[in-house]
């Protein structure tokens, strides 16, 4: 349980930024 | 305010003090009563060594944990974040447990920037198109004017051509 | 009802409870180790005393008695310390937002609002595209106008040249000259008719 918490918390910290980077890339590619 | 690192050290010290106080020499000798009656000085030394060793070991462990987790830096960083946010009275945002929902606010700044950029582009393009439209209308008027002039000259020459034919007819007569 | 302290875990990289558990186990191990060392020292001392009449088993009982007491106090004290740790040190106060979540404060968006924003962006993109098409059409027409104007001007120039040709041969105005020519020829015709008539 503890590991899951840490895993999820770490993902919650890192993933939003990663997802945003991917979204930005996608949108730029689409615009181009 | 006291830093978290200092607070941690204080708490551990307090814990140790109370633990040692609980395991007093009196209690130690009560438990090892017969040995104490046999060897009082040795008992005293053993007890002192027990206390020192326990404290040293525990403090060393705390230092090790601090180093391992880079705890001091982390706690100092937390102190700083708390200090910076101390004026914020209301309960701060917390993850809702639904990633999609929380993600909206993370993406919003970029999308807002997108929207603003697009708005500026559209306005710029609209202004440019307005100028172009004005130029097109002006151009149309010029074309119409030129057409009118050409038509007028053409009609003039056609009129001339009729009179030419009329002249020929007269001359032929 | 245990608070998983996930927000703290997001910042610390571990859960506060894990940290406390680790400390608890380490402290407890040291307590046991030290007590074991104490017992070893006492037994060794007793070896040096032939007629002590204290057996190792008895010493073991003494150790267990003291340790049992210490363990009780240890657990009690540690649980208090743990509560303080979890409340004051390893906890993010409710009014505090972590830096990486600043956008939740500055740009709080519900899913609905976010979808509206996305829709607005799509509409703007369509509008921009339309404006670009419009620009293209306007530029195309301007190009056509240039061509048409050039042609028309060329025709006007052609007419001018025609008139210039006449003027070059002393005829200022074709029309007038033709008209006068027609009138003169009619007058001649009349004169000729008259002459014939008078001749008869």
């Amino acid at each position: 349980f503890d590991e899951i918490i840490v895993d999820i918390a770490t993902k919650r910290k890192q993933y939003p930024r990663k997802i945003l980077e991917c979204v930005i890339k996608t949108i730029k590619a689409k615009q181009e | 305010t006291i830093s978290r690192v200092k607070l941690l050290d204080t708490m551990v010290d307090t814990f140790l003090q109370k633990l040692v106080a609980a395991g007093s020499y009196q209690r130690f000798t009560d438990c090892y009563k017969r040995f104490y009656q046999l060897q009082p000085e040795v008992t005293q030394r053993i007890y002192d060594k027990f206390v020192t060793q326990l404290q040293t070991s525990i403090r060393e462990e705390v230092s090790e944990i601090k180093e391992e987790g880079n705890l001091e830096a982390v706690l100092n960083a937390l102190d700083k974040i708390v200090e910076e946010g101390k004026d914020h009275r209301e309960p701060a945002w917390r993850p809702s447990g639904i990633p999609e929902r929380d993600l909206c606010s993370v993406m919003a700044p970029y999308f807002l920037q997108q929207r603003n950029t697009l708005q500026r582009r559209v306005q710029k393009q609209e202004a440019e198109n307005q100028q172009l439209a004005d130029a097109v209308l002006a151009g149309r008027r010029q074309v119409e004017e030129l057409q009118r002039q050409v038509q007028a000259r053409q009609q003039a020459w056609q009129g001339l051509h009729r009179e030419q034919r009329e002249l020929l007819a007269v001359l032929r007569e | 009802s245990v608070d998983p302290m996930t927000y703290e875990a997001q910042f610390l990289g571990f859960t506060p409870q894990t940290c406390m558990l680790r400390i608890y186990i380490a402290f407890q191990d040291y307590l046991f180790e030290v007590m074991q060392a104490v017992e070893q020292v006492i037994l060794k001392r007793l070896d040096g005393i032939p007629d002590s009449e204290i057996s190792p088993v008895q010493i073991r009982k003494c150790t267990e008695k003291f340790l049992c007491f210490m363990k009780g106090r240890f657990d009690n004290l540690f649980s208090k310390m743990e509560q303080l740790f979890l409340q004051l040190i390893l906890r993010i106060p409710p009014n505090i937002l972590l830096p990486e979540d600043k956008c939740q404060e500055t740009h709080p968006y519900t899913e609905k609002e976010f979808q509206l924003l996305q829709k607005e962006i799509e509409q703007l993109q369509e509008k921009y595209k339309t404006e670009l098409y419009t620009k293209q059409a306007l530029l195309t027409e301007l190009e056509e106008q240039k061509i048409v104007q050039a042609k028309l001007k060329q025709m006007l120039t052609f007419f001018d040249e025609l008139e210039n040709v006449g003027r070059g041969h002393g005829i200022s105005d074709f029309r007038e000259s033709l008209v006068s020519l027609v009138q003169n020829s009619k007058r001649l015709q009349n004169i000729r008719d008259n002459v014939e008539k008078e001749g008869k």
Side-chain angles (χ1 to χ4, degrees), chain C residues 90-108:
Chain C
L90 300 176
R91 184 163 157 279
I92 297 175
N95 65 320
I96 296 301
L97 189 66
L98 290 175
E100 65 259 31
D101 292 326
K102 264 292 175 255
C103 58
Q104 299 293 351
E105 189 180 47
T106 50
H107 297 263

Side-chain angles (χ1 to χ4, degrees), chain B residues 28-142:
Chain B
F28 187 76
T29 54
D30 284 350
C31 292
Y32 289 99
K33 189 179 288 294
R34 294 194 53 193
F35 181 74
Y36 170 63
Q37 290 163 346
L38 198 64
Q39 296 271 339
E41 293 81 21
V42 172
T43 307
Q44 176 68 62
R45 279 206 301 281
I46 289 174
Y47 175 77
D48 291 341
K49 186 68 179 160
F50 159 73
V51 169
T52 308
Q53 188 58 39
L54 183 61
Q55 287 178 330
T56 305
S57 305
I58 284 181
R59 284 205 176 86
E60 281 175 1
E61 177 62 18
V62 170
S63 300
E64 198 180 307
I65 288 175
K66 277 183 188 177
E67 268 178 46
E68 202 179 290
N70 195 17
L71 206 52
E72 285 205 6
V74 169
L75 292 179
N76 288 338
L78 184 53
D79 283 341
K80 192 166 174 287
I81 292 171
V82 169
E83 179 60 25
E84 285 167 2
K86 72 173 187 282
D87 297 334
H88 191 270
R89 296 270 176 247
E90 299 301 313
W93 174 86
R94 283 297 181 269
S96 64
I98 303 172
E100 295 83 345
R101 181 183 299 171
D102 299 341
L103 198 58
C104 292
S105 300
V106 175
M107 312 272 272
Y110 176 71
F111 276 79
L112 282 170
Q113 184 198 354
Q114 279 281 302
R115 186 192 64 182
N116 295 342
T117 306
L118 271 173
Q119 275 173 345
R120 278 198 302 279
R121 276 191 188 165
V122 165
Q123 283 163 4
K124 186 167 171 283
Q125 196 57 57
E126 279 175 342
E128 190 184 331
N129 285 355
Q130 185 57 51
Q131 285 178 352
L132 283 177
D134 293 342
V136 163
L137 287 177
R140 284 180 186 173
R141 282 195 289 278
Q142 279 178 19

